[in-house]
Structure formats: C-alpha cells, structure tokens
Amino acid sequence: MKATTSDTPANRSPGLEPVLDGDADTDRGVPFIIETSPATIEPGAEIVMTAFVAPEHAQALFHATVLFRDADGAPIGRAPLTDARGGALRSEPVERVAPDAPGSHAFSAVMEGPGGEVLGKQDFCVAIAAHPIALTLWDVPHAVEQGAGFQVTLGIKCPCGCMAEGWAFRITDSAGQIVAEGQTGHDPWPGTSGLYHATVALVAPDSLGAQDWTVTALVPDHPTPHIQRSLPLHLNVQTAPEVTLKVLAVDAETGAPVPRARVVVHPYRTFTDAQGRAEVRLPRGRFTIFVSGPPYFAFKTTGEVKDDMSLTAEMYVDREFTDADAWA
Amino acid sequence: MTDKRSIDDQDFKEGSLNRRDFFRVGAAAGMTAAAAAVPGTVMAQTSETPDGTIHWDYEVDVVIAGGGCAGLTAAIRARDAGASVLVVDQNYDLGGRMLHSGSYLSLGGGDAIQLRDMAGAADAEGFITVPPAEDPPELDDNIELLFTDVTDWSVVDAKAQSPYRYNEREMMRAWAENCPPTRQFLMDNYVRFTRISGTHGGGGLSRARAPYCFLMLGDRTDIEAGTITAEDAGVADPERTSPFAPVQMEDATSFVGPNAVRNGVALARPLEYSARKKGVMFILHRSFNDLIRERPFDGRVLGLTATYSPRVNPDTGIRLESFWQLGNVDDRREVLNIRARKAVILASGGHAGNPEVRSMFYPALRDPAFPTSGSALQGSGGQDASALKAALKIGANMAGMQQNLSYPTTFHISSRLGTRDAYTDMMPGHPTFVFRKSTGVAVGNAGFEEFIAVNQVGKRFFNEVRLPKRPGANRYPGDGAAPGQGLDHTPLDWRNCSAEWIRKSYTYDHGLDAAVALNEGSRAPHYYSGPLWAIFDQDAIDRTGWEIRFPYVSEENGYYFKSDTIDDLARQIYAGHPYSRVPLGHLSTTVTTWNGYVAAGADPEFEREKDAPMYAIAKPPFYALSIMVIWHDSYGGLRCNGRQQVIDMQGVPIPGLYAGGEAVGGFNKHGLGKGHVQGFIAGTHAAREL
Ligand SMILES: Cc1cc2nc3c(=O)[nH]c(=O)nc-3n(C[C@H](O)[C@H](O)[C@H](O)COP(=O)(O)OP(=O)(O)OC[C@H]3O[C@@H](n4cnc5c(N)ncnc54)[C@H](O)[C@@H]3O)c2cc1C
C-alpha cells in the first residue's frame, strides 16, 4: 500500500457518494460524506478516499479521526480531519490499492473522537470497473510488400490474473473489414507468466504507403466482466525492392569491421555480419541511413538510392568525454 | 606490515602521539552534569548552555569535521606541526568522496610532477616506465600563470557560463601559491602520481596540470612500499569490489607502466595510513551538528557538538567498521562536546546531498528522488550541508553560490541505469553495497537510442539520445569553449567571450531541464517532477546484449522492473519504487504512440529521427530501468580568505574557524585540487594559532 505523500485533488464522484440518511438522526451520529477518486476505479489501481464534513457539523468533529474499513470490515486506513477551509472540514486523503473484483463494494467509515468514541458512521460504495485486457503486438515487419503474406504475433493478458488462454481476437483492416480472427494458445509466451499468444498469418493490401489496421482483444467468455481492448497494427506497404544497398560498418579510428551494427533505412532494417557487412534490398527512392550500435554513436547519411550502391559507415566510439570528464 | 587491518604498533609509537595532548574528560557525564571545576570545562555562552557553562567531553588542539580530501590533508598538516588532532566523521570509514574519486588531481604552478614530467624523468621509486604524456611546453607552468588562469574573466563555456570570472581573488592567489607545496606534501605522505595528462575542470586552460594517483599490483597491500593486492584493488574479479576500495581500481598502464592501478583509493588510503601513523585520532560514526562560539555572533569558536550516527547494515543490523582501526576512539554516547584549543576546521563536504539546500539554486531539484554521487558510500549524512548550516548559525558568510550552476557536471543525467547511486559502479564486496543493492547497467550515451525515457506519469519529455549529453568542462587543452585551444589559448582575451564566438560554441541541450519540469503528476506543495524511467523490450536486449541480472540490477531495490505487459510495468513501478508518488497513467498510451512514430519513421514530438534510429517497444517481456539525475558536487559554500579562515557577514574572519573542500564556495574548481590545497592551508594556519 502506498503511503500518502501529498494532498490529492479528490474528484467528487456523485455515483459513489453515500446517501445521507437524514440530519444527525438516530444511530448514524454526526453526518459526513466520503469522497473517492478517481471517478472510475480500475481493479487494483489507486483509490483515494477523503472524508468531508459540511460547515454546520464541523464543530462536532473538530478533533476527530476518520477510520476507513473495506467490504469485509477490515480497517484499511485512518486520517485526521486537518483541513478546515471555508468552515468545512476535510480529512487527509488516504491512498490505497483498490480491490480486483469488478462491481460495487460496500466500504464504511467511522468518525472517532480523541478518546476513540464513535461520533458518526457512514457506508459508501466503491465501484470497481470491469477488468482491463492488456494487448501486445510484436514481430510486425517494418515493411511489407504489397500483396505478400506476412506474420505478426499478439499476446493477451488479464492484469488481474484471469487466465487468458483461448481468448478471442480479431484483426480489421483500415476500412473496418475483418482480415483475421483467432484465439490465444495454451501456454504463456516464454519469459512471461500470463501472456497468452497467437501467431497470425496475414496478407498485405495492394495500396501502398502507411496504413493502420486494428487488432482487438474481444470480451472473453469469462465469469468476470472484461473490457475489450484494441491496438493499431501499423503497416508500411511498399513495392517490391529493386536495388541493393551494401553497407560496410567500420570503426573510424581502427578501420576494424563492426559486427552486429544495426542498419536502419526506414522502414527497412538489418544487422551487419561478422565482417561488418550488411545488405538491404530497397525500392528506389530517398532514404536516411543510420548505422548504429554500442559502443558507437549513430552514423547517419541521407540521399537518393537510384541503383545498387555501397556505403562505408565510419563509426565513432561513444567517448564524447575523456577520462577527465568522466571523473569530473 | 602484515595485518592490513592494523597499522603496526611500532610505527604508531614512533609517530609519538603525546597522549596528554589528547585526553578524555567527564567519562559518561552529560552536558548538564558539567561544573566549572571539572577539568576541560570552560565558560561560554551558547544557546545550549543556559547556565553559561559547557561540559567538554574531549579537548584537543585542532578538531576537524570530516575525514575526506580536505580533512585528512589538514589533519596531517596540523599534526606535522605538532598539534594534537581529532577528526570527527559521520561515516564508518575515512576518505569521504576522495576514496570514491578518480584521483585526477589538478594542481600546477610548476609543481613537482610537472617538473618531473618536463624533465622526462621517472618517479623516485622507478615505477613509472612510460614516457611523459605531455610535451614540455605544455607543462611549463608558474604561479602567476596559474593565478591568471583561475581568475580569467574572459572564459565562457559551452553552456554560456563563466567558470573562472566569479572566483574569490584572495583565496585563488593563496591556492595558486600553495599548489606546488601541496603536491610535494602529498608525495611525502605516500601518494604516488602518474604522468600528467591534461587538466581537470576548473584548473585552468593554459597548461597540463593533472596526474592520477596509483599503486602497483603486488603480493601484499603495503602503502609504504606502494603495492596493493589484486583483491584489495578489486581487480581480481570483474564483479567484486573490496572493503579497501569501494570502486574497482582502473588500469594505469598507459600513465605508469604494466601492473599499475589508479583511482581515489591510491590517494585516500595513503593519506589515511599516514594520518593514523602520525597519531591523528578519529571518532567515526559521528556527525557534527553545531559550532560552539564564545558568543552567538562574536568571539572565538571553541569547539563543536557531534551526534552518534552509526552506519548499520540494514540486512544484518551490524554496525560497519572502518578498514583500519588505529587511532579510532569508540565512543557511542549520543552527543559529545569537543573542544578545539586552537581551531575547528570544517571539511565535511558540500550540500549536493541535501535537496532542501541545493534547491536554492534549482527548485526543481528539491526532489529527494535524485541523490548525490556516491550516496551509498557516504550515507545520508554525507554532503548534507552540515558545515554550511552550522557556520551560518554563528554568522558566517557565503561565497560563489551561483557557481553551482556554472559547472557542467554539477547536475546531469547519468548513462548508468537501474541504480540509485548512478554516478559510480560499486560492485558487491564493499560493505556499503547493501545500501544500493545494484551496480547499474552502463549503457553509454549511445545506449539512449535503445529506449524511450518517461517521467513519473509515463510520458516522454525529450529526445532521449540528447539526455546524457554534457558540455565539456573548461580546462586544458580547452575542449570547453575557448576559441584558442591548448597552448594557443590566450588568457584574458576578450575574443574568448565575444558574442559571435559564444553563439557558435553554445552546445547545451536542456534535456535535464525537461526531465525535471512540471508534469501531470506534480502536486502541491513541492510539485516534484518525480522519477524517470528507461522503457524497453526484449528486442532491445537482443540488440544490445545488456546484462540485466545481478549485480547490475536488483529485484529488491525498486530501480529495475520486468513485466509481461506495459500495463503491468506501470503498476509495478508505481507499487515498487520508493519515490513513485503517482501512477504512470500515460505509459501505455505513450508506448502505443511511440510505436506509431517508429512505424512512420518520424517523432513529431521530439524529432528523434534526426539523431538516431528508432525501435518499437513491442516484444515481451518489457523492462524499466531508473534514469537518475545526479547532483554531483557543490561550488557555492562558505566564504574564506587566503588562510582558509571562514569570514563573517562583516568581512571579518571568525577566530578559530577554518574550512576547506566542498564546504567552501567561491572557487569553481572541481574536486580534489581544491580540497587538498585548502586543507593544506587550513592545517598550516590552524596549527599556528595560539
Ligand atoms: C565518484 C567520484 C569521483 C570523483 N572523481 C574526482 C576526480 O577524479 N578528481 C577530482 O578532482 N575530484 C573528483 N571527485 C570529487 C572529489 O572527490 C570531491 O570534490 C572531494 O573529495 C571533496 O573534498 P571534501 O574534503 O570537501 O569532501 P569529502 O572528500 O567528501 O570528505 C568529506 C568528509 O566529511 C564527512 N562528513 C560529512 N558531513 C559530516 C558531518 N556532519 N560530520 C562529520 N563528518 C561529516 C564525510 O563522511 C566525508 O568523509 C569525485 C567525486 C566522486 C563522488
């Protein structure tokens, strides 16, 4: 649980406010209200609770402390009523981690006097939104050739711990037409604990240039409500490459080849081999060429590629500072 | 010497400490039990003693607050002159930031090492087998030239700041005159210097003035013989340091010859050894808080009060102990009053680790999320402005406060990620590693093209590849901004700062300023900008080969996170980083937007495509490493005269009070060169007080 570090602007969220049962009536004691923020509380996200006492009742609660309890009645935080502005009284905000389960949770708050005596009680609702879905998309080719097949991998996870095995997704093109549908597989992606994935085969459109398709993780058939999530799938549709750019990456000082340097000729990219050489197939056109990789600063050049061509990238070691500067 | 933990007792006796000069009074008695009849009790008026008396727990000629660069030098110097000396240090061991340093020690004015290298000679012990790194004309120096250099009004750096213009003239004259004797003094106390190579920041533009300090690798660690074992030097295992050396020593072959190693260990340990051997006494684990003066703003400084400040291993609860013990006084009472018969010397460093004090220069850097360099080694009591606070309370003046803003590395963004202590690369093995728990991943400046940098709410704020850039320091051979470089530099020439030239030479990028700017998570009253994060994916690791494992990162310290999804990463950072105050609510959108920029080949927000290629952050798992803004050191501080006496608001020296090192302002010189000479001067004059 995070400690409160400074005051948080509390949005009064009307849907979450308790209904006061009358003025200083029966056993509820002195009336007060609880403000919660933000307006929509994500499962497991931060929730900020503040007690508010109207000017006419402030006198009775001047040295009081508010104790918050969760839906099980367990105490979850206590705050003094310290902020007295405009005659009203306000407690210090209490920041806590919200419950994971979507729906309405009946929390409560008790006003206690300096000796622990109960001065007032109040129930309030904390409404937790449906579970979000985390969606991730990788291995998207930087350039796709018009009409050619390509693959992408996508991963789906419920951050609240629901198993996303077999959850459905859909991919639509820029006109909104469905181009693929499928489900995640049975095992999480290596190195992750709950990211269920699928590799999808797609076919590039004929129209050239940048276009955004959409990948959507659909609401799963699951007892806990979830919220659908979409991500753009950026496509860079190019004509078939016509020319070859040969790059030789060398250390500017020693002349030694630089292996595994990255060659980026947007949107094409590759690495140099053990001899510092790389080849990129390109359509004709104007490009910016970067060759980079530790411990070197990026080499950059811009120009028109009309035919097959070769380029030597002289790379300078990342030593902007001398030893003396490093220890300065 | 066989046991490296205790200096030979024989040496100690020969060091002839007169124990009567250093006596302890009042055993366990507290201040209130003091009476005028108790020996060592003097009449004084301070706010702490309403009855007008002070009970002194210790009495000695010279008391020094801080056993680092200035403090150890002053201690040995005063002890050499026959004074009894007690050093009070808040840390568990001596050396301060000097022990952590690179030992690049810029003096000059025709000092012994300049003369040696000019003559092409080796050192007296014959360790140096390589020829000089600088030609004789570059070493041909004198005091007038050094004084001119360090007061040169005309030099303006690549950040359009003037590093020498505002220096205190009397203090600079004394500094220049005392550089040659200080170099000799250090050599006489077992410090060995490499070949000179260039000059350190703030040390002048005209000549080469800075060597490093070295030791030779050998079978045993023997300061007098000049040798150190590979284990003690931290070079036996690439992933270990030693209790002797908090930072692994660097190879010094090119400046000395084979088997030589260099850094602050070769400076701090010899001085400490010499001080202990000569009979300087030490109270460690003790923070000085206040000076005791005869009257609040008048009269002599009589001594100081110091509070027990043990440094305890948080995992074991065991108190850390210094590497050597000789001369240590183990006194664990809460508060001690220590009387200085001759003088108090303030050598407890600057204020870089005190966010409240440093924020007087840059309010955005009040955020305690950002530490000073070497904070694990020093603890929270290091660089905490204690000298400044105590001296201001008794009427001292300040000098050169604005100079904090005119040194290029005063604050900067480190290219070491994933550790709070991002200026240094301490490995496990040193007792203070436990305070940082990770060494950090050194990605270099070029590494900043591999990730996006986001602020506390998860938003990008600048072109990443420009964040770690720093303008060069103004020093020989002149890679700061003077138009004439090296020997071609003309001091005091107006052309050095003509408007046309400055327009051409200005290179400051302001990335740091964007990093600490207000953002959506900045809340009243401090409006902290909050922590900064490098966000990247598995592809970045495959591209670079970064080793994301212990000891480079730790899963325990909150400066490294790994997650299945970006959403999870944002949650983990918020829950697990000690200075996360608000959720990283924008991170997911920032990454989606960024991936769109990568696909389009253009970053309309920060134009990163102009400097470096861009990579999507897409392939799980995802990673976050902390990016640190580091406030490295202090240039503003107490005002002193040429004797290093602290000056009050009327321009009058405060009797019995001296200061040196980063506690002192008005000298925009980085580090050791300032501290040693000022310690040398302060020790000389303090011992001469009646
Ligand atoms: C990693 C690193 C590398 C560096 N490299 C170089 C370099 O190569 N060249 C260079 O010139 N400079 C370098 N510096 C800077 C240089 O080390 C410092 O500027 C110099 O040590 C400052 O000297 P000082 O005596 O003022 O402080 P320090 O050497 O830091 O000594 C201050 C001492 O005072 C103690 N202290 C602090 N507060 C109190 C208190 N309240 N009571 C008692 N004791 C207290 C501390 O524990 C410490 O031991 C480097 C610094 C660092 C951190």
Side-chain angles (χ1 to χ4, degrees), chain A residues 176-222:
Chain A
Q177 298 296 314
I178 297 175
V179 292
E181 285 178 304
Q183 292 181 347
T184 55
H186 303 299
D187 300 310
W189 180 253
T192 72
S193 62
L195 187 67
Y196 289 85
H197 59 103
T199 298
V200 192
L202 298 164
V203 177
D206 286 330
S207 47
L208 287 174
Q211 38 194 296
D212 282 355
W213 289 7
T214 304
V215 182
T216 304
L218 302 169
V219 173
D221 180 14
H222 194 276

Side-chain angles (χ1 to χ4, degrees), chain B residues 53 80 306 417 441 627:
Chain B
T53 62
D80 281 350
L417 310 178
V441 183
I627 302 176

Side-chain angles (χ1 to χ4, degrees), chain A residues 46 157 262 292 300 318 328, chain B residues 423 445 449-450 568 574:
Chain A
E46 181 194 58
K157 180 176 178 178
R262 277 99 57 162
S292 72
K300 176 187 173 186
D318 172 12
Chain B
Y423 191 85
N445 292 353
E449 80 176 46
E450 309 295 344
D568 287 350
Y574 177 53

Side-chain angles (χ1 to χ4, degrees), chain A residues 296-297 318-321, chain B residues 413-415 443-451 464-470:
Chain A
Y296 298 98
F297 282 106
D318 172 12
R319 264 241 314 272
E320 190 175 312
F321 304 124
Chain B
I413 288 181
S414 174
S415 57
V443 303
N445 292 353
F448 278 59
E449 80 176 46
E450 309 295 344
F451 52 76
E464 286 78 1
V465 297
R466 289 180 180 234
L467 285 177
K469 289 196 171 175
R470 307 183 219 162

Side-chain angles (χ1 to χ4, degrees), chain B residues 75 481 545 556 587 660:
Chain B
E556 290 170 25
L587 186 61

Side-chain angles (χ1 to χ4, degrees), chain A residues 324 326-328, chain B residues 64-71 88-91 93-106 200 212 247 286-289 347-350 373-374 378 381-387 423-424 632-633 660-663 669-675:
Chain A
W327 284 117
Chain B
I64 301 178
C69 166
V88 178
D89 201 294
Q90 59 85 30
N91 206 358
D93 205 356
L94 294 163
R97 284 150 57 82
M98 166 175 59
L99 183 61
H100 230 325
S101 75
S103 80
Y104 193 52
L105 208 169
S106 195
H200 206 195
Y212 297 89
V247 182
R286 188 159 290 277
S287 281
F288 113 90
N289 334 86
S348 54
S373 44
Q378 290 270 286
Q383 311 300 313
D384 66 348
S386 38
Y423 191 85
T424 61
H632 183 35
D633 46 10
E662 289 189 40
K669 161 105 182 66
H670 180 71
L672 304 168
K674 174 182 171 189

Side-chain angles (χ1 to χ4, degrees), chain B residues 317-510:
Chain B
I318 296 171
R319 197 178 88 149
L320 308 188
E321 299 301 336
S322 59
F323 190 83
W324 283 319
Q325 310 286 327
L326 182 71
N328 283 4
V329 179
D330 187 3
D331 189 328
R332 304 187 186 200
R333 283 175 292 167
E334 189 54 27
V335 180
L336 297 178
N337 289 340
I338 302 170
R339 185 180 173 199
R341 284 193 292 257
K342 289 175 181 284
V344 170
I345 300 175
L346 299 177
S348 54
H351 49 258
N354 185 324
E356 286 300 325
V357 172
R358 71 188 189 201
S359 73
M360 82 170 84
F361 314 101
Y362 199 162
L365 284 167
R366 188 174 304 139
D367 194 337
F370 303 125
T372 185
S373 44
S375 53
L377 179 72
Q378 290 270 286
S380 56
Q383 311 300 313
D384 66 348
S386 38
L388 190 64
K389 286 191 289 188
L392 285 178
K393 280 194 222 167
I394 62 156
N397 199 355
M398 298 182 281
M401 298 312 270
Q402 84 286 2
Q403 290 181 312
N404 269 332
L405 298 175
S406 57
Y407 195 86
T409 56
T410 304
F411 37 83
H412 59 266
I413 288 181
S414 174
S415 57
R416 178 176 297 278
L417 310 178
T419 180
R420 177 165 173 79
D421 211 353
Y423 191 85
T424 61
D425 65 347
M426 183 191 284
M427 292 280 179
H430 191 268
T432 62
F433 184 81
V434 68
F435 297 107
R436 59 190 285 165
K437 290 195 160 76
S438 61
T439 300
V441 183
V443 303
N445 292 353
F448 278 59
E449 80 176 46
E450 309 295 344
F451 52 76
I452 58 167
V454 301
N455 62 18
Q456 63 178 348
V457 294
K459 276 193 161 180
R460 290 178 68 222
F461 50 87
F462 208 72
N463 173 352
E464 286 78 1
V465 297
R466 289 180 180 234
L467 285 177
K469 289 196 171 175
R470 307 183 219 162
N474 255 287
R475 55 175 176 73
Y476 184 88
D479 57 351
Q485 308 258 308
L487 292 177
D488 294 335
H489 170 64
T490 313
L492 310 178
D493 187 335
W494 65 271
R495 292 173 195 84
N496 292 334
C497 56
S498 74
E500 292 76 13
W501 171 253
I502 290 168
R503 230 169 260 135
K504 222 190 271 176
S505 61
Y506 186 87
T507 62
Y508 186 54
D509 262 315
H510 300 266

